[in-house]
Amino acid sequence: MATNLIQRGLIAITGTTGVGKSQLAIELARAVNGEVINADALQVYRGYDIITNKVSSEEMLGVPHHLLGFVEPNREYTVQEFERDALLKINDIHQRNRVPILVGGTNYYIQSVMFRKSLITTTSRDPGLQDAGLPGVAGTREFDLLHSAKSDQDLWEELRAVDPLMAEKWHARNRRKVLRSLEVLAATGRLHSEWVKESEVAREKEEVLRFPTLVFWLYADPPTLDKRLFERVDKMVDRGMFDELSQLARDLADETALAGPSGDFTAGLKQAIGFREFGPYLAAKSAAATDADLELLRLQGIEDMKLSTRRYAKRQIAWIRNKLLPECNATLSKSVTAHPYVLDATDLDRWDSLVKAQGVDIAKQFIGGDQRLPDATAISEIAAKLLSEAKEKPNSVLAWKRFHCPICSKTAEEARDGVACEVWLNGQDEYNQHLQSRQHRKNRTYRKRLAERASSSGGNVKARSDDENRD
Ligand SMILES: [Zn+2]
């Protein structure tokens, strides 16, 4: 037995739906004496095997699976519970000298287990400044009174005068954030941006990774993946998805634990893609609508579900590229390191050689404690491309800027309801994503037509462009 066998290591598998994550987990488990831990937020729930896309017990081939289908559908299982449960399982698997294999597409689940703190901000809307190493700064009555009479704009100007770095991050209308930054200065005598800088420096020295980790990102070329995801939706419908969705609606109907305002699809199984999309269809069905109406709603539901599935896949990929890979890269200078590999799952006919064989090979070397793991960029062209694009370290919170979209913003005259709407994005990543969005592209086409019409009729309408935010 090798004496340098890697101690307390972890293998993590992530990627979108439809790339064979669960299969790879099973193959790896068989090859390296491993056990699988589910990291999919929907698959923790009991039942609903079609909408949650669980592997069947035959497909498991005898490999133990943990945290799969064990939570009652009407209960909300939090990421904190998952973190605790998964760490207990990992410890137990290590005790038995086996290898834990974490697999799933829920990014905040993977993140909560791999990294000690939630260092990767899951929502870019909240850069998590509240916890940036600040002493408790509770809002004092005095402070509130002093500022309550000031306008949003005045407060923002005040902040810009003392702490321009922070002012750059907040929109003047975000009164709560602006006040918070002013309050930090008043209470601690130091700029909010200095606290943030300091915590980022501390973070760079911190050992954040819990286990030496081998990370597999199963990737499929987007056009191929889209086709596969769409076919999968059709297959789910054929397999009886509507029965599960109706059942889910009944299960959740009188559930007070999950009861948010109606239309709140954020908790538990409600997040399952399809539940919201087929809401109108299922409602019409129980209201005995005509067959023609039902068929229209059913087709619309399928269309919406395909778009939602694709949107979700894009978000998963954005997280891996923008957050997970930089966090992994940042561990390379530390004593506990993460090693990301991209496996090409584009061509399912070649899955056995490109995903399974390569994955097993790398996993064996990792578990064997081989100091020279294969060069991750030499695996394939796509691996080289995706890994070389990844940043060396995560974005500094202070580098985040507000971006304004002039295309999507509407003046009071333009808006149908007469209320002006300014569209702001937080940070470069969110802005780039916005530029790719359907909404933005629709608005861009609309503005272009408007400008063309204006110029042909000799009018003088100012054409808006994306240029405003270009550096
Ligand atoms: Zn826009």
Side-chain angles (χ1 to χ4, degrees):
M1 202 74 204
T3 50
N4 58 349
L5 192 75
I6 194 138
Q7 292 300 304
R8 295 173 43 79
L10 174 71
I11 297 177
I13 304 172
T14 191
T16 63
T17 311
V19 289
K21 294 189 298 288
S22 307
Q23 283 142 273
L24 179 65
I26 291 161
E27 298 293 353
L28 293 185
R30 283 154 60 91
V32 301
N33 193 26
E35 298 188 15
V36 176
I37 299 172
N38 163 53
D40 180 294
L42 295 177
Q43 294 185 7
V44 297
Y45 290 98
R46 190 189 305 285
Y48 299 106
D49 296 345
I50 301 170
I51 55 176
T52 63
N53 195 32
K54 287 196 198 83
V55 285
S56 66
S57 43
E58 296 83 63
E59 289 167 325
M60 290 180 193
L61 302 172
V63 169
H65 279 63
H66 304 278
L67 307 186
L68 189 69
F70 73 108
V71 180
E72 291 307 320
N74 57 8
R75 192 169 88 72
E76 189 181 355
Y77 183 68
T78 65
V79 62
Q80 288 80 14
E81 288 175 284
F82 175 78
E83 178 181 355
R84 178 202 63 200
D85 292 348
L87 290 173
L88 285 170
K89 290 291 177 196
I90 290 173
N91 187 41
D92 174 56
I93 293 168
H94 281 149
Q95 297 284 315
R96 291 184 279 108
N97 286 318
R98 307 195 77 185
V99 180
I101 300 171
L102 187 67
V103 57
T106 302
N107 50 35
Y108 54 94
Y109 271 23
I110 300 262
Q111 164 192 324
S112 74
V113 171
M114 280 180 64
F115 299 97
R116 264 194 194 88
K117 282 178 209 147
S118 246
L119 287 175
I120 309 176
T121 321
T122 44
T123 58
S124 48
R125 291 206 170 275
D126 183 4
L129 290 176
Q130 279 74 6
D131 305 308
L134 279 163
V137 184
T140 60
R141 182 156 300 204
E142 224 178 317
F143 186 86
D144 286 348
L145 275 177
L146 190 64
H147 292 89
S148 60
K150 296 181 185 166
S151 72
D152 292 354
Q153 189 62 34
D154 285 350
L155 283 174
W156 187 80
E157 299 284 353
E158 200 174 304
L159 178 63
R160 189 171 64 168
V162 289
D163 195 348
L165 265 176
M166 291 314 288
E168 179 58 43
K169 299 178 55 51
W170 310 137
H171 187 271
R173 270 207 307 273
N174 199 339
R175 187 179 180 94
R176 200 173 58 84
K177 298 280 195 192
V178 172
L179 266 176
R180 166 82 185 155
S181 293
L182 284 170
E183 202 178 351
V184 168
L185 175 61
T188 68
R190 289 179 62 200
L191 297 178
H192 193 178
S193 58
E194 277 172 18
W195 285 106
V196 174
K197 255 183 244 168
E198 193 169 281
S199 86
E200 287 190 348
V201 169
R203 188 181 113 171
E204 269 178 35
K205 292 183 200 138
E206 206 181 4
E207 291 289 341
V208 290
L209 195 68
R210 282 202 172 95
F211 314 97
T213 309
L214 175 62
V215 180
F216 287 117
W217 171 15
L218 269 56
Y219 179 86
D221 175 52
T224 312
L225 180 68
D226 282 355
K227 199 166 156 274
R228 205 179 295 162
L229 293 177
F230 290 177
E231 286 167 2
R232 199 178 136 257
V233 170
D234 293 329
K235 233 178 270 171
M236 286 166 78
V237 172
D238 291 345
R239 287 177 62 203
M241 182 181 66
F242 291 133
D243 295 339
E244 279 195 1
L245 290 176
S246 308
Q247 182 61 44
L248 182 60
R250 283 195 294 275
D251 270 4
L252 299 180
D254 53 358
E255 184 44 58
T256 44
L258 282 177
S262 65
D264 169 13
F265 293 98
T266 57
L269 271 174
K270 284 182 181 177
Q271 299 170 85
I273 294 178
F275 190 61
R276 186 207 316 247
E277 289 77 3
F278 285 106
Y281 169 71
L282 295 173
K285 212 173 168 188
S286 53
T290 66
D291 285 353
D293 285 351
L294 270 182
E295 183 56 12
L296 272 180
L297 288 171
R298 194 182 69 92
L299 293 175
Q300 185 60 54
I302 292 174
E303 195 54 35
D304 289 348
M305 186 171 168
K306 287 179 176 173
L307 294 178
S308 297
T309 305
R310 183 167 67 182
R311 242 191 329 263
Y312 180 56
K314 280 187 176 172
R315 280 209 308 274
Q316 287 173 304
I317 292 173
W319 173 77
I320 296 171
R321 296 173 84 133
N322 303 330
K323 309 283 189 264
L324 181 64
L325 290 182
E327 286 290 351
C328 286
N329 289 342
T331 67
L332 293 179
S333 59
K334 297 176 185 180
S335 59
V336 185
T337 51
H339 305 272
Y341 285 85
V342 175
L343 298 177
D344 188 355
T346 304
D347 184 355
L348 290 183
D349 290 335
R350 297 173 70 203
W351 193 89
D352 275 354
S353 61
L354 295 184
V355 180
K356 178 181 157 185
Q358 285 193 332
V360 165
D361 200 43
I362 298 163
K364 280 183 170 166
Q365 295 183 56
F366 172 74
I367 295 305
D370 198 322
Q371 294 306 302
R372 286 166 306 172
L373 285 170
D375 177 1
T377 60
I379 302 274
S380 65
E381 251 173 67
I382 190 68
K385 180 174 180 289
L386 293 171
L387 291 171
S388 64
E389 281 168 4
K391 297 188 193 85
E392 269 173 45
K393 58 182 183 179
N395 282 340
S396 160
V397 169
L398 293 173
W400 293 22
K401 261 176 28 178
R402 296 173 297 122
F403 285 82
H404 182 241
C405 184
I407 304 280
C408 298
S409 296
K410 287 190 173 72
T411 61
E413 299 87 73
E414 284 174 333
R416 226 174 276 166
D417 53 6
V419 181
C421 170
E422 296 289 338
V423 175
W424 289 92
L425 295 310
N426 288 328
Q428 185 79 54
D429 291 345
E430 197 174 298
Y431 181 61
N432 289 347
Q433 238 168 351
H434 172 79
L435 292 182
Q436 306 287 325
S437 71
R438 268 159 66 93
Q439 189 62 43
H440 177 82
R441 284 181 298 177
K442 232 171 75 187
N443 286 334
R444 195 177 49 196
T445 311
Y446 166 74
R447 291 214 179 273
K448 208 187 256 170
R449 292 227 184 95
L450 215 62
E452 280 163 9
R453 215 173 303 156
S455 68
S456 64
S457 67
N460 190 22
V461 176
K462 183 177 164 252
R464 297 182 172 202
S465 76
D466 290 335
D467 290 342
E468 180 171 321
N469 292 306
R470 293 230 172 95
D471 286 330

